[in-house]
Amino acid sequence: MAEDEVATRAPESDAQGSLVTGDTPAQEGASMGEHCVTDRPSPATGAPTGEITKIADVDVYITKPSDYPHLPSKLLLFLSSGTGIHSKNNQLQADKYASEGFVVVMPDQFAGDSLQKNATDPNTTPDSNPSMIEKVKMGLADTAKSFMIDMWLARQSQEKVIPLLHKVIEGAKDEFADAVANGDGIYAVGYCFGARYVLLLGSELPDTVAKGQAVKDEEHGVVKSAPQIKAGAIAHGGSQPFSIEEGLDSCWQLFPDDVRAEGQKHLVDSGMEHEIQVFPGVPHGFAVVGEYDDAKIMEAQRAAFEQMLAWLKSCSFHFSLLSVSSNATIMTCKHVDSAELRVPTPAQSVYREDCTQCFDSIDDPTGLNVCLYCFNGGCCSDRNHAKIHHESSRHPMVLNIKRKRKRSKREEPPQKISKLAIAAETEDDRYDTTTEVRCYECGVDDVDKTSGKLFAVVDGVLKANTFAKQAEVQAWEQEITACEHTLCLEQEPARQIESQSLGHCSMCDLKENLWLCLQCGNLGCGRQQFGGVGGNSHGLKHTELTNHAVAVKLGSLTPDGTADIYCYACNEERTDPELAANLGHWGINIAEREKTEKSLTEMQIEQNLKWEFSMTTEDGKELKPIFGEGFTGLKNLGNSCYLASILQCMFSTPAFAARYFHPQEPPPAVPNPAEDLETQLRKVADGLLSGRYSYPDSDVIASEDSPYIPHQKGLAPAMLKHLIGRGHEEFSTMRQQDAFELFLHLLQLVTRSQHTPPAHDPVKAFRFVMEQRIQCISCNRVRYRTDEQDNISVPVPVRRKLRVINGDESDEKPKDEFEPVTLKECLDTFTGAEEVELTCPGCNSKAGFTKRSLFKTFPDVLAVNARRFELVNWVPTKLDVPVVVDDEPFNLDSYMSSGQQDGEELLPEEANTSAAAQFKPNAVAVEQLEAMGFPRVRCEKALHATGNGDAETAMNWLFSHMEDPDIDSPLDLEGSNPTDTSTGVDAESLEMMGAMGIGAPQARKALRATGGDVNRAVDWVFNHPDDQGEMEDETAQADANVQGTSGGKAMAGNSDLPAKFRLRSIVCHKGASIHAGHYVAFIRKHMPDGGSESWVLYNDEKVVKAVDVEEMKKFAYVYFFSRA
């Protein structure tokens, strides 16, 4: 092509019709028409933030990030369309790139000869009904404009523009050398006219062309010029919808043949990294800032910018090109730069281990899809809960994570565990992990993880603590408090610590596990820790030399202000309420810190979870694992065996299985499945009962000669544990808990949850009615009261054995031994008659009453807590009293209440009887206490609380309650009237007293008598040993339930006889305290091979056929009997 032709040729229009109302004919074409030289109306809000200055004597518009040069940026060359650097829209477009971290240089490539001054006013609206003369005038004007554009284009020759751009590039390299270095080169964007020169700057052109000269003799060898830019993105008009190859032909229409051929060869033939993003139904020039009435065009404008920005941020190492065009079909995912994509914060839960609606996990062949918007985890196998989440939330993008365990070989015999040993093993040592970004909406299964915001978001998801680990960490951290040394920290004079001084220990070369002394700023290494973390204890050495107590672990600092703080004086981990200020004293900005090491809490949890106990018989053989439906174990989440054992027993009952196990039904439609109790109970039911997860751990391989069969991996009910413990003082921690107390708490949670018909509350299977009968010893009149319950707590008779030491009988022995008792003895004691001291309202006799409680109805499942505890120094201490329970059904008919009998006369009701009138303080005791200086109000309170006995007992009570806030308030006995339902009893306080072996009726009366104070209520119980409380209804609903024939709802349970019950499951506890030791469950089940019933041991994730069950039954803590 001749040089003159290159200089004067203007591309032809290929438009098929205007896409925007008001476009002139010149605007309709894909070529260099008015659409390239006229701005659309500018946005109503916002003004350019950059300035017009000079680089190498060339006018340039420069705009920078707000935090430049404090934070690193990259240099971006912005080549505009014919509107030039004075266009407000071009300036606003450049500002958008600056806000994303680029220093933007937009040169005046036309040397003051832009066409915007000759174009139509963008805010002028053409007449919709022009006259004939006006049409002629407009036609002539359009012809003139087209001619002017052709003439202008002829003046903007390659020989003119290229040298000018080279001058700007060289000048910018000097002025913004830091940005060029940070980006490892210069980036460029080009719009319309500028797009051609982005391609030229990114091509290996002949040196003469690169300098602005046409190649005259192509037969001679030429020297090639290296690309001037690292990555480019261009926006231009296309023609008809096209494939990639056709698109390249179309996009080169604006360029001379030699440039088109060289560029096409470079991009296609040479395999240069490039991409074409095309948008249908939008006008030419749509990609630059400007207002359109059509929302589709505005969305395409936003998407084009995000795509170009994402391309620039993802490119590296070599020149690459993104081409954004109109009039074609979208080929890639458009959500990679969505505004809703954000890196998870430390406080957000990331569910990236198992599905929130089932136990499918990242270890399955299809992996787990983690929503990149809300971080919900969804399976993508046959159930496809991830897709269900997408359809309900409309969140399109997910991160698929697959993890495969690196296989370990199990040696035979298994190594005996003699101490806690933690191997230095990382996640990468244990697993091979693969990830893939998918978009449901665009149908793309492998979105480039480096495009747009994806790199940061994906990295954040993979580095974030999983939900289970986060919940565990929070539970452990609740126990960490401040101390006097952190609260009263006095720092030495401030000084700036050089960054190189924060690189290693001041006494050695260790560069990890570093602790900063908050008092003087010294940096010392910590102690050697489990997990392979090294340390020479130089932080401790510094404390010994200086007596500086408080240090912070630098690698644990997070931007939200959390960190490991250790007090060497207390030898405990602590918190520092002023951590940010104390670090700022040494010039450390915590907001700029990034966590690089595990915290002490995280390592402690990892250590706890590595405890493993072998399941062997007495002769050393391992028990045989069992697999199949109903034989799935639960992982120990760290002191969670109490939860696992109770869940196994509860879901083995028909009521809970029928309520929550629905494998053919879709999961509940809730926005946050992990926080929904119904969803999590159904998830656990499916996990335990379906058999879907009950198979040997394939990651463990026994040696060829070993008969060992690996156990299951087990399921981790972390989400359910979180919901159960939320808001509860004890169950929210990682400490061991009382399994029976958890059982009662779970029953309450389930009952309070919603049960939409036809679903029923499964707790009804546990409910029954007890009837209390009291009879005056003097007049023989009686009174009956009923109380609905869901369990009984039976006292276990204690008969200590005498032990022979050195041939002599003695009670002094190393450990108590007890005679065995039968379950019948326990029930006889529980239901036996006893005498209580009360004044008869019928005959006013003080001879007292006999009281007995029997079953009025029986449940389907009877839960029995065997109280084997004594209070030693106010601490419940377990007694190993064996209770003999047969496997055969036993009859409870003899414990059935017969109700009011013929000839029995009922006691009169105590209507409006005041409790204050009944209580008359011991006058002698009051006088003695007043003589000691106690106010009368306190004397009366003490006597009432201690059973109105002697002055000494009341005095001791006063000394222990001097700090009570209501100690000087008048005694309000009306408010403590047991029949006054306005003074309700807190359910958790009732549970706490129940865990101490105090029956619900007695606990309820004690709590009401003491204003709900648990400590005082316990005192009340011990001072009123003969008062067994009142068998009252807990709620109005319960009252309606027990009316039976009074027109209310039917009683809980049923009174059908015979009432035969058979033992179905037990929860056993090993250890001296209910808050320590280990819980396991034994459940009677049919074997998976179709055999007869047998006892199965559930020890966390291990499920085996049990041996020595008879011995374990003797020491069970909770028994579950089902009606035979």
Side-chain angles (χ1 to χ4, degrees):
M1 179 184 293
E3 183 177 358
D4 291 342
E5 290 177 298
V6 174
T8 60
R9 176 184 173 198
E12 299 176 356
S13 173
D14 58 357
Q16 303 300 314
S18 178
L19 292 168
V20 181
T21 303
D23 281 352
T24 67
Q27 285 175 300
E28 294 174 0
S31 62
M32 197 70 179
E34 190 173 351
H35 67 282
C36 300
V37 296
T38 303
D39 277 339
R40 296 292 302 177
S42 301
T45 58
T49 58
E51 62 176 350
I52 293 179
T53 181
K54 288 183 180 292
I55 290 182
D57 293 327
V58 177
D59 287 342
V60 292
Y61 176 80
I62 298 179
T63 178
K64 309 170 186 175
S66 59
D67 50 11
Y68 178 81
H70 304 293
L71 291 180
S73 301
K74 299 177 182 179
L75 183 62
L76 177 69
L77 189 67
F78 186 108
L79 303 184
S80 72
S81 66
T83 51
I85 68 170
H86 294 280
S87 160
K88 179 180 178 181
N89 287 0
N90 285 341
Q91 293 176 359
L92 291 173
Q93 189 77 18
D95 291 346
K96 290 177 68 174
Y97 287 104
S99 68
E100 296 291 340
F102 289 94
V103 174
V104 184
V105 175
M106 178 167 58
D108 181 6
Q109 51 194 329
F110 315 118
D113 187 21
S114 72
L115 258 179
Q116 186 179 23
K117 58 188 178 182
N118 298 317
T120 307
D121 183 352
N123 298 299
T124 300
T125 303
D127 191 347
S128 59
N129 296 299
S131 66
M132 181 61 69
I133 296 177
E134 289 172 336
K135 290 181 179 178
V136 173
K137 288 181 179 179
M138 286 194 300
L140 294 173
D142 287 338
T143 302
K145 287 177 184 177
S146 180
F147 178 75
M148 290 175 60
I149 292 172
D150 285 348
M151 294 304 296
W152 175 85
L153 185 61
R155 296 196 299 273
Q156 312 310 319
S157 64
Q158 182 173 302
E159 294 87 338
K160 171 186 174 182
V161 176
I162 285 291
L164 183 146
L165 294 179
H166 273 279
K167 289 172 63 178
V168 173
I169 289 173
E170 293 304 316
K173 285 181 179 179
D174 293 334
E175 186 167 344
F176 302 108
D178 58 335
V180 176
N182 182 62
D184 194 27
I186 299 176
Y187 298 75
V189 293
Y191 292 86
C192 196
F193 182 94
R196 168 188 179 183
Y197 289 94
V198 169
L199 288 166
L200 282 169
L201 293 174
S203 301
E204 293 183 355
L205 296 176
D207 191 53
T208 52
V209 175
K211 294 178 181 178
Q213 304 171 17
V215 179
K216 298 296 185 179
D217 189 354
E218 295 183 1
E219 294 182 359
H220 289 80
V222 294
V223 177
K224 296 291 184 70
S225 173
Q228 297 294 301
I229 58 176
K230 177 180 179 178
I234 63 175
H236 60 88
S239 58
Q240 304 299 319
F242 51 84
S243 66
I244 291 181
E245 289 75 14
E246 293 169 337
L248 287 171
D249 290 339
S250 174
C251 80
W252 298 109
Q253 287 183 10
L254 300 182
F255 314 121
D257 291 342
D258 56 344
V259 177
R260 177 184 62 80
E262 184 65 29
Q264 190 170 6
K265 180 177 184 299
H266 193 67
L267 295 179
V268 181
D269 297 342
S270 298
M272 176 178 289
E273 181 183 356
H274 66 281
E275 180 180 319
I276 295 180
Q277 174 73 34
V278 287
F279 296 82
V282 295
H284 307 302
F286 78 98
V288 179
V289 166
E291 291 295 323
Y292 292 90
D293 293 332
D294 190 341
K296 178 181 178 182
I297 300 175
M298 295 301 294
E299 171 62 19
Q301 183 183 101
R302 180 198 62 79
F305 171 74
E306 291 182 351
Q307 186 74 5
M308 296 172 76
L309 179 67
W311 181 263
L312 294 173
K313 288 186 174 182
S314 65
C315 294
S316 59
F317 304 117
H318 57 273
F319 176 69
S320 50
L321 175 71
L322 168 71
S323 173
V324 175
S325 301
S326 60
N327 288 348
T329 307
I330 298 177
M331 301 295 291
T332 59
C333 176
K334 62 183 181 182
H335 303 96
V336 294
D337 255 323
S338 172
E340 291 79 15
L341 285 175
R342 294 184 178 89
V343 176
T345 66
Q348 282 183 289
S349 298
V350 178
Y351 303 95
R352 63 174 175 87
E353 283 201 322
D354 61 352
C355 176
T356 57
Q357 295 173 302
C358 70
F359 283 102
D360 287 5
S361 70
I362 58 177
D363 298 318
D364 295 321
T366 55
L368 188 78
N369 282 355
V370 180
C371 176
L372 292 180
Y373 294 79
C374 65
F375 311 115
N376 177 77
C379 62
C380 44
S381 57
D382 55 325
R383 295 174 172 178
N384 213 343
H385 290 140
K387 187 175 182 181
I388 294 175
H389 173 74
H390 158 67
E391 292 170 348
S392 62
S393 66
R394 307 313 304 170
H395 294 164
M397 300 191 76
V398 296
L399 175 67
N400 179 263
I401 307 177
K402 298 176 186 176
R403 187 176 70 178
K404 188 174 182 181
R405 188 70 158 90
K406 294 179 179 178
R407 293 191 169 188
S408 57
K409 192 170 184 179
R410 167 67 187 267
E411 298 297 336
E412 178 67 23
Q415 183 178 1
K416 181 180 179 181
I417 296 179
S418 58
K419 64 178 181 179
L420 180 64
I422 306 298
E425 190 179 34
T426 67
E427 182 85 0
D428 291 337
D429 293 331
R430 296 191 296 268
Y431 299 100
D432 292 318
T433 303
T434 59
T435 60
E436 182 180 82
V437 175
R438 299 172 180 175
C439 181
Y440 284 106
E441 190 170 316
C442 298
V444 181
D445 285 340
D446 192 9
V447 182
D448 183 3
K449 293 192 290 286
T450 63
S451 60
K453 298 179 180 179
L454 289 183
F455 181 82
V457 175
V458 170
D459 186 61
V461 167
L462 295 176
K463 287 183 177 179
N465 269 342
T466 63
F467 166 77
K469 181 64 68 66
Q470 185 184 52
E472 291 162 7
V473 169
Q474 290 173 348
W476 281 102
E477 287 178 342
Q478 289 175 359
E479 303 174 37
I480 302 174
T481 60
C483 68
E484 57 178 316
H485 305 98
T486 58
L487 294 174
C488 304
L489 180 67
E490 294 184 3
Q491 295 182 287
E492 294 183 0
R495 61 185 174 88
Q496 184 75 26
I497 301 178
E498 299 298 331
S499 60
Q500 58 267 28
S501 298
L502 294 175
H504 62 83
C505 172
S506 61
M507 299 183 186
C508 68
D509 294 329
L510 281 182
K511 297 180 180 180
E512 62 178 3
N513 190 18
L514 301 179
W515 294 77
L516 178 75
C517 174
L518 288 177
Q519 186 166 341
C520 69
N522 177 76
L523 196 66
C525 59
R527 303 164 182 170
Q528 188 169 7
Q529 300 167 345
F530 43 76
V533 179
N536 297 318
S537 300
H538 288 143
L540 177 61
K541 182 69 174 178
H542 172 75
T543 297
E544 294 172 350
L545 295 174
T546 62
N547 290 324
H548 296 172
V550 184
V552 59
K553 186 177 182 181
L554 289 183
S556 69
L557 291 173
T558 65
D560 62 341
T562 62
D564 280 345
I565 299 166
Y566 199 84
C567 178
Y568 287 103
C570 300
N571 200 25
E572 293 284 351
E573 190 175 357
R574 296 297 187 186
T575 60
D576 181 6
E578 303 296 329
L579 178 62
N582 291 336
L583 287 172
H585 184 80
W586 302 115
I588 299 175
N589 184 355
I590 195 171
E592 298 176 354
R593 303 292 299 187
E594 181 178 348
K595 181 180 175 183
T596 58
E597 300 178 15
K598 290 181 182 178
S599 67
L600 292 178
T601 300
E602 290 167 348
M603 288 189 286
Q604 178 66 36
I605 292 169
E606 184 175 341
Q607 179 192 31
N608 289 343
L609 298 183
K610 284 181 177 289
W611 280 100
E612 184 175 335
F613 297 90
S614 179
M615 301 281 291
T616 58
T617 60
E618 291 183 356
D619 58 1
K621 294 181 180 179
E622 293 202 19
L623 299 178
K624 181 180 178 182
I626 303 176
F627 308 98
E629 297 180 6
F631 298 96
T632 305
L634 293 172
K635 285 182 181 178
N636 194 318
L637 304 175
N639 288 331
S640 68
C641 55
Y642 69 97
L643 171 67
S645 58
I646 288 294
L647 288 178
Q648 293 285 7
C649 291
M650 290 179 71
F651 282 96
S652 70
T653 64
F656 268 82
R659 173 63 180 85
Y660 293 110
F661 182 44
H662 302 287
Q664 305 305 322
E665 295 182 9
V670 292
N672 192 349
E675 296 290 330
D676 180 60
L677 182 62
E678 171 80 14
T679 301
Q680 294 311 310
L681 286 171
R682 289 180 61 168
K683 172 180 174 177
V684 169
D686 177 77
L688 294 180
L689 304 177
S690 67
R692 182 183 179 95
Y693 310 99
S694 182
Y695 49 83
D697 185 355
S698 59
D699 296 330
V700 177
I701 305 175
S703 61
E704 295 179 0
D705 299 327
S706 169
Y708 171 77
I709 301 176
H711 290 282
Q712 309 169 29
K713 289 183 179 180
L715 307 177
M719 298 174 200
L720 179 61
K721 183 179 185 296
H722 166 70
L723 292 181
I724 292 172
R726 185 168 53 186
H728 194 283
E729 184 178 0
E730 289 299 324
F731 297 135
S732 60
T733 71
M734 295 300 292
R735 295 190 294 267
Q736 182 68 281
Q737 301 298 331
D738 182 354
F740 184 65
E741 187 177 345
L742 172 78
F743 170 69
L744 299 180
H745 181 63
L746 263 175
L747 294 185
Q748 282 191 344
L749 289 179
V750 171
T751 296
R752 293 171 185 170
S753 63
Q754 187 175 6
H755 303 281
T756 305
H760 299 287
D761 181 4
V763 179
K764 289 182 178 180
F766 291 84
R767 292 198 185 113
F768 57 95
V769 176
M770 294 293 292
E771 186 170 66
Q772 181 194 71
R773 178 183 182 273
I774 60 173
Q775 183 175 27
C776 176
I777 296 175
S778 178
C779 66
N780 291 326
R781 281 182 281 190
V782 298
R783 175 177 294 160
Y784 289 89
R785 292 186 182 274
T786 56
D787 186 39
E788 183 176 306
Q789 298 181 199
D790 48 34
N791 71 91
I792 58 174
S793 186
V794 299
V796 177
V798 177
R799 296 191 292 268
R800 285 181 168 83
K801 290 182 178 180
L802 292 179
R803 188 170 180 181
V804 178
I805 298 180
N806 297 326
D808 298 324
E809 290 189 355
S810 173
D811 285 331
E812 298 178 2
K813 48 190 176 300
K815 183 180 179 181
D816 285 339
E817 293 185 4
F818 305 90
E819 294 181 4
V821 299
T822 64
L823 177 63
K824 186 177 185 306
E825 287 184 78
C826 298
L827 290 173
D828 288 344
T829 303
F830 175 70
T831 59
E834 56 183 322
E835 291 188 4
V836 293
E837 293 182 3
L838 292 173
T839 300
C840 178
C843 66
N844 293 321
S845 170
K846 297 184 183 296
F849 286 78
T850 60
K851 184 184 71 171
R852 189 183 188 191
S853 296
L854 293 168
F855 290 90
K856 189 168 184 66
T857 63
F858 293 99
D860 292 330
V861 180
L862 178 62
V864 180
N865 169 226
R867 298 206 310 262
R868 292 187 179 87
F869 297 97
E870 283 184 341
L871 287 177
V872 179
N873 295 324
W874 300 99
V875 176
T877 303
K878 181 183 173 186
L879 304 178
D880 290 329
V881 181
V883 177
V884 179
V885 183
D886 292 331
D887 275 353
E888 298 303 316
F890 63 93
N891 198 314
L892 295 184
D893 290 1
S894 60
Y895 303 106
M896 181 80 171
S897 173
S898 57
Q900 184 180 352
Q901 301 297 304
D902 293 339
E904 286 185 337
E905 183 181 355
L906 296 179
L907 285 166
E909 293 296 330
E910 299 174 276
N912 300 320
T913 301
S914 169
Q918 293 182 6
F919 174 70
K920 292 181 180 180
N922 185 327
V924 176
V926 170
E927 183 179 353
Q928 292 175 343
L929 291 169
E930 286 183 322
M932 299 177 193
F934 292 106
R936 186 175 184 84
V937 171
R938 297 191 181 186
C939 298
E940 292 180 351
K941 277 195 170 182
L943 287 168
H944 179 265
T946 57
N948 204 19
D950 59 88
E952 183 179 357
T953 304
M955 179 185 65
N956 292 332
W957 184 93
L958 281 169
F959 282 133
S960 62
H961 292 82
M962 297 291 285
E963 302 301 324
D964 289 358
D966 61 345
I967 189 65
D968 291 314
S969 300
L971 184 63
D972 181 13
L973 296 178
E974 296 293 341
S976 63
N977 187 349
T979 63
D980 183 4
T981 58
S982 65
T983 58
V985 174
D986 179 65
E988 291 187 6
S989 299
L990 204 61
E991 288 180 23
M992 291 174 63
M993 296 188 68
M996 300 178 189
I998 301 171
Q1002 192 180 22
R1004 187 180 303 112
K1005 185 172 183 179
L1007 287 166
R1008 286 178 174 170
T1010 56
D1013 186 302
V1014 175
N1015 293 327
R1016 291 170 57 194
V1018 173
D1019 286 347
W1020 189 94
V1021 170
F1022 280 96
N1023 286 298
H1024 297 77
D1026 295 326
D1027 191 334
Q1028 294 301 308
E1030 294 292 334
M1031 302 294 284
E1032 295 186 281
D1033 306 324
E1034 296 183 12
T1035 63
Q1037 179 64 48
D1039 183 65
N1041 288 343
V1042 300
Q1043 294 305 313
T1045 60
S1046 302
K1049 295 182 180 179
M1051 285 187 183
N1054 68 76
S1055 56
D1056 297 341
L1057 297 179
K1060 290 187 176 182
F1061 284 81
R1062 189 184 187 195
L1063 185 63
R1064 282 294 173 184
S1065 61
I1066 57 175
V1067 173
C1068 296
H1069 174 264
K1070 290 185 177 181
S1073 169
I1074 56 175
H1075 297 293
H1078 186 63
Y1079 287 97
V1080 296
F1082 289 82
I1083 303 176
R1084 189 202 302 268
K1085 288 191 174 185
H1086 286 282
M1087 291 294 99
D1089 56 7
S1092 60
E1093 280 190 333
S1094 182
W1095 284 96
V1096 179
L1097 167 60
Y1098 292 81
N1099 182 3
D1100 291 332
E1101 75 277 7
K1102 302 177 182 66
V1103 181
V1104 299
K1105 187 173 181 179
V1107 294
D1108 297 330
V1109 180
E1110 294 301 321
E1111 190 67 19
M1112 295 304 301
K1113 284 193 298 182
K1114 293 178 182 179
F1115 301 98
Y1117 180 46
V1118 185
Y1119 298 84
F1120 294 94
F1121 298 90
S1122 62
R1123 292 198 72 153

